[in-house]
Amino acid sequence: MTALLSVRDLRTWFHTDQGVVRAVDGVSFDVRPGEMLGIVGESGCGKTVTSLSVLGLLPQPPAKIEDGSSIRFGDEELVGAGDRRLRALRGNDIAMIFQEPMSSLNPVYSVGNQIAEALRLHRRMDRKAARAESIRLLAEVGIPEPERRVDEYPHQLSGGMRQRVMIAMALSCEPKLLIADEPTTALDVTIQAQILELLASLRERHEMAVLLITHDLGVVAEVCDRVLVMYAGQVVESGSVHEIFADPQHPYTRGLLDSLPSVDDPGQRLNSIPGTVPNPLHWPAGCRFRARCPEAGGRCDDAQALVELGQDRASRCWRSGP
């Protein structure tokens, strides 16, 4: 199947006074029409910078997508595209949900006005039609009494409702790709489950691809088709949800899975991965996970490319394989 989004050798570096921060350092992946791809990893691994690179929302300077990187949406190359073209794509064809809706919504405008603004800008609706569509979208994302809520302000809504408003705004122009950056981080467990269920149902209803950024493998297991595991600016493993959970090939992926609490043994002591992610100003030579890896050996001193293990299956470890 032809990819909707195709990222190849993406290198997004931050040129600072202290040196070059190689936040994303050679990442490649595809998102196919209608699928949900999860990108998972610890804070600082490059997940969010990857999504901002796709959208053209990087702070410039100091961020720069380096020469040789490619981000193709359909048949169009986005690296090097002008601001005007990227603004046209954002909202129309690609939309994003950020992890903290209170900082993304404008506190001085009603939620209805904020949804309507996108509708009037991108879909050329008049004021009356935009208001009616805003109410319909609020109802679609499960907000009760949308005719009343449309005139309320962000501070009058709960965290879960604010996140639903952000989803309604993202859906307003019927995008082909939705990027969701930690959409359940600030929510309690019950609301998290509701938001995930909503995203899954909207994806099917609108036949929309979703790129889900998260640090939570439990979230990935629940809603994603395929998984990309990132560590220290690189992809260290990729595969289907079933393959990753049934037979993880990279020691980092196994460490993440071992740190998940067990439903069968709630009193079990949680495991952790020792150490911390290395400094992106000075990525270590060789395998970047080597200092934290319980399986590290002599060959880990050499940089390891992704080992192809089959269709859509790869691992950045020389021990990988049957």
Side-chain angles (χ1 to χ4, degrees), residues 5 7 10-12 14 23-29 31 37 39 45-58 65 71 96 179 181 211 213 228 230 233-235:
L5 176 71
V7 176
L10 176 63
R11 291 175 296 128
T12 303
F14 291 75
V24 176
D25 201 20
V27 167
S28 299
F29 62 91
V31 182
L37 174 69
I39 300 183
C45 72
K47 306 185 302 294
T48 294
V49 174
T50 298
S51 65
L52 294 177
S53 300
V54 171
L55 285 164
L57 291 176
L58 295 164
I65 296 178
I71 302 172
M96 186 164 185
I179 300 175
D181 185 9
L211 180 61
I213 312 293
L228 216 66
M230 286 188 66
Q234 297 179 328
V235 175

Coordinates of all heavy atoms in Angstrom, one line a residue, residues 5 7 10-12 14 23-29 31 37 39 45-58 65 71 96 179 181 211 213 228 230 233-235:
L5 N 2.2 9.2 4.5 CA 3.4 10.0 4.9 C 4.6 9.1 4.9 O 4.6 8.0 5.4 CB 3.1 10.5 6.4 CG 4.3 11.2 7.0 CD1 4.4 12.6 6.4 CD2 4.1 11.4 8.5
V7 N 8.7 9.3 5.7 CA 9.8 10.0 6.3 C 11.1 9.2 6.1 O 11.1 8.0 6.4 CB 9.6 10.3 7.8 CG1 10.8 10.9 8.5 CG2 8.3 11.1 8.0
L10 N 15.4 11.3 8.5 CA 15.1 12.6 9.1 C 16.1 13.0 10.1 O 16.3 12.2 11.1 CB 13.7 12.7 9.7 CG 13.3 14.0 10.4 CD1 13.3 15.1 9.5 CD2 11.9 13.8 11.1
R11 N 16.8 14.1 9.9 CA 17.8 14.6 10.9 C 17.4 16.0 11.3 O 17.6 16.9 10.5 CB 19.2 14.5 10.4 CG 19.7 13.0 10.3 CD 21.0 13.0 9.6 NE 21.0 13.4 8.2 CZ 21.8 14.4 7.7 NH1 22.7 14.9 8.4 NH2 21.6 14.7 6.5
T12 N 16.8 16.2 12.5 CA 16.5 17.5 13.0 C 17.4 17.9 14.1 O 17.4 17.3 15.2 CB 15.0 17.6 13.5 OG1 14.1 17.1 12.4 CG2 14.6 19.0 13.9
F14 N 19.5 20.9 16.5 CA 19.3 22.3 17.1 C 20.7 22.8 17.2 O 21.6 22.3 17.9 CB 18.6 22.2 18.5 CG 17.2 21.9 18.4 CD1 16.8 20.5 18.1 CD2 16.2 22.8 18.6 CE1 15.4 20.2 18.0 CE2 14.9 22.5 18.5 CZ 14.5 21.2 18.2
A23 N 18.7 16.0 18.0 CA 17.5 15.5 18.6 C 16.9 14.4 17.9 O 16.4 13.4 18.5 CB 16.5 16.7 18.8
V24 N 16.8 14.5 16.6 CA 16.3 13.4 15.7 C 17.5 13.1 14.7 O 17.9 14.0 14.0 CB 15.0 13.8 15.0 CG1 14.6 12.7 14.0 CG2 13.9 14.1 16.0
D25 N 17.9 11.9 14.6 CA 19.2 11.6 14.0 C 19.1 10.4 13.1 O 19.6 9.3 13.3 CB 20.2 11.4 15.1 CG 21.7 11.6 14.6 OD1 21.8 12.3 13.5 OD2 22.6 11.1 15.2
G26 N 18.4 10.6 12.0 CA 18.3 9.5 11.0 C 17.1 8.6 11.1 O 17.2 7.4 11.0
V27 N 15.9 9.2 11.3 CA 14.7 8.5 11.5 C 13.9 8.3 10.2 O 13.8 9.2 9.4 CB 13.8 9.2 12.5 CG1 12.3 8.6 12.5 CG2 14.4 9.1 13.9
S28 N 13.5 7.0 10.0 CA 12.7 6.7 8.8 C 11.4 5.9 9.2 O 11.5 5.0 10.0 CB 13.5 5.9 7.8 OG 14.6 6.6 7.3
F29 N 10.3 6.2 8.5 CA 9.1 5.4 8.8 C 8.0 5.9 7.8 O 8.1 6.9 7.1 CB 8.5 5.6 10.2 CG 8.1 7.0 10.5 CD1 6.8 7.4 10.3 CD2 9.0 7.9 11.1 CE1 6.4 8.7 10.6 CE2 8.6 9.2 11.4 CZ 7.3 9.6 11.2
V31 N 3.6 6.1 7.3 CA 2.2 6.0 7.8 C 1.3 5.8 6.6 O 1.3 6.6 5.7 CB 1.8 7.3 8.6 CG1 0.4 7.1 9.1 CG2 2.8 7.6 9.7
L37 N -0.2 4.5 13.7 CA 1.2 4.1 14.0 C 1.5 4.8 15.3 O 1.4 6.0 15.5 CB 2.1 4.6 12.9 CG 3.6 4.5 13.2 CD1 4.0 3.0 13.2 CD2 4.4 5.3 12.1
I39 N 4.4 6.0 18.0 CA 5.9 6.2 18.3 C 6.0 6.3 19.8 O 5.4 7.2 20.5 CB 6.4 7.5 17.6 CG1 6.2 7.4 16.1 CG2 7.8 7.7 17.9 CD1 6.7 8.6 15.3
C45 N 13.6 11.4 23.7 CA 14.1 10.5 22.7 C 13.9 11.0 21.3 O 14.4 10.5 20.3 CB 13.4 9.1 22.8 SG 11.7 9.1 22.3
G46 N 13.1 12.1 21.1 CA 12.9 12.7 19.8 C 11.5 12.6 19.2 O 11.3 12.9 18.1
K47 N 10.6 12.0 20.0 CA 9.2 11.8 19.5 C 8.5 13.1 19.0 O 8.0 13.2 17.9 CB 8.4 11.1 20.5 CG 8.9 9.8 21.1 CD 7.9 9.2 22.1 CE 7.5 10.0 23.3 NZ 8.5 10.4 24.2
T48 N 8.5 14.0 19.9 CA 7.7 15.2 19.6 C 8.4 16.1 18.5 O 7.8 16.6 17.7 CB 7.6 16.1 20.9 OG1 6.7 15.4 21.8 CG2 6.9 17.4 20.6
V49 N 9.8 16.1 18.6 CA 10.5 16.8 17.5 C 10.2 16.2 16.2 O 10.1 16.9 15.2 CB 12.0 16.8 17.9 CG1 12.8 17.5 16.7 CG2 12.3 17.6 19.1
T50 N 10.1 14.9 16.1 CA 9.7 14.2 14.9 C 8.4 14.7 14.3 O 8.3 15.1 13.2 CB 9.7 12.7 15.0 OG1 11.0 12.2 15.4 CG2 9.2 12.0 13.8
S51 N 7.4 14.8 15.2 CA 6.1 15.3 14.8 C 6.1 16.7 14.4 O 5.4 17.1 13.4 CB 5.0 15.0 15.9 OG 5.3 15.8 17.0
L52 N 6.8 17.6 15.1 CA 6.9 19.0 14.8 C 7.6 19.2 13.5 O 7.3 20.1 12.7 CB 7.6 19.8 15.9 CG 6.8 19.8 17.2 CD1 7.6 20.6 18.3 CD2 5.5 20.5 17.1
S53 N 8.6 18.3 13.2 CA 9.3 18.4 11.9 C 8.3 18.1 10.7 O 8.4 18.8 9.7 CB 10.4 17.4 11.8 OG 11.3 17.6 12.9
V54 N 7.4 17.1 10.9 CA 6.4 16.8 9.9 C 5.5 18.0 9.6 O 5.2 18.4 8.4 CB 5.6 15.6 10.3 CG1 4.4 15.4 9.3 CG2 6.5 14.3 10.3
L55 N 5.1 18.7 10.7 CA 4.2 19.8 10.5 C 4.9 21.2 10.2 O 4.2 22.1 9.9 CB 3.5 20.0 11.9 CG 2.4 19.0 12.1 CD1 2.0 19.1 13.6 CD2 1.1 19.3 11.3
G56 N 6.2 21.2 10.2 CA 6.9 22.5 9.9 C 6.7 23.5 11.0 O 6.6 24.7 10.8
L57 N 6.7 23.0 12.3 CA 6.4 23.9 13.4 C 7.7 24.0 14.3 O 7.6 24.3 15.5 CB 5.3 23.3 14.3 CG 3.9 23.4 13.6 CD1 2.8 22.8 14.5 CD2 3.5 24.9 13.4
L58 N 8.8 23.8 13.8 CA 10.1 23.8 14.5 C 10.5 25.3 14.8 O 10.3 26.1 13.9 CB 11.2 23.1 13.8 CG 11.1 21.6 13.6 CD1 12.0 21.1 12.6 CD2 11.3 20.9 15.0
I65 N 16.2 21.2 9.8 CA 16.1 19.9 9.2 C 17.3 19.8 8.2 O 17.4 20.6 7.3 CB 14.8 19.6 8.5 CG1 13.6 19.7 9.5 CG2 14.8 18.3 7.7 CD1 12.3 19.5 8.9
I71 N 10.6 14.4 3.9 CA 9.3 14.2 4.5 C 8.3 14.3 3.3 O 8.1 15.5 2.9 CB 9.0 15.2 5.6 CG1 10.0 15.1 6.7 CG2 7.6 14.9 6.2 CD1 9.9 16.2 7.8
M96 N -3.1 18.4 14.3 CA -2.4 17.9 15.4 C -3.1 18.2 16.7 O -3.8 19.2 16.8 CB -1.0 18.5 15.5 CG -0.1 18.0 16.6 SD 1.6 18.4 16.4 CE 2.4 17.5 17.7
I179 N -2.1 13.9 13.9 CA -0.9 13.6 14.8 C -1.4 13.9 16.2 O -1.8 15.1 16.5 CB 0.3 14.5 14.4 CG1 0.7 14.2 13.0 CG2 1.4 14.2 15.4 CD1 1.9 15.1 12.5
D181 N -0.1 14.1 20.0 CA 1.1 14.1 20.8 C 0.7 13.9 22.3 O 0.2 14.9 22.9 CB 1.9 15.4 20.6 CG 3.2 15.4 21.4 OD1 3.6 14.4 21.9 OD2 3.8 16.5 21.4
L211 N -1.0 9.3 13.7 CA 0.3 9.1 14.2 C 0.3 9.5 15.7 O 0.1 10.6 16.1 CB 1.3 10.0 13.5 CG 2.8 10.0 13.9 CD1 3.4 8.6 13.7 CD2 3.6 11.0 13.2
I213 N 1.9 9.8 19.3 CA 3.1 9.9 20.1 C 2.8 9.7 21.6 O 1.9 10.3 22.1 CB 3.7 11.4 19.9 CG1 3.7 11.8 18.5 CG2 5.0 11.5 20.6 CD1 4.6 11.1 17.6
L228 N 6.7 2.1 16.5 CA 8.1 2.6 16.3 C 8.6 2.9 17.7 O 8.1 3.7 18.4 CB 8.1 3.8 15.4 CG 9.2 4.1 14.4 CD1 9.1 3.0 13.3 CD2 9.0 5.5 13.8
M230 N 11.6 4.5 19.8 CA 12.7 5.4 19.6 C 13.5 5.5 20.9 O 13.0 5.4 22.0 CB 12.2 6.8 19.3 CG 11.7 6.9 17.8 SD 11.3 8.6 17.3 CE 13.0 9.4 17.4
G233 N 17.2 9.6 19.8 CA 17.1 10.2 18.5 C 17.0 9.3 17.4 O 17.0 9.7 16.2
Q234 N 17.0 8.0 17.7 CA 17.0 6.9 16.6 C 15.8 6.0 16.8 O 15.3 5.8 17.9 CB 18.3 6.1 16.6 CG 19.5 6.9 16.3 CD 20.8 6.1 16.4 OE1 20.8 5.1 17.1 NE2 21.7 6.4 15.5
V235 N 15.4 5.3 15.7 CA 14.5 4.2 15.8 C 15.3 3.0 16.2 O 16.3 2.6 15.5 CB 13.8 3.9 14.5 CG1 12.9 2.7 14.6 CG2 12.9 5.1 14.1

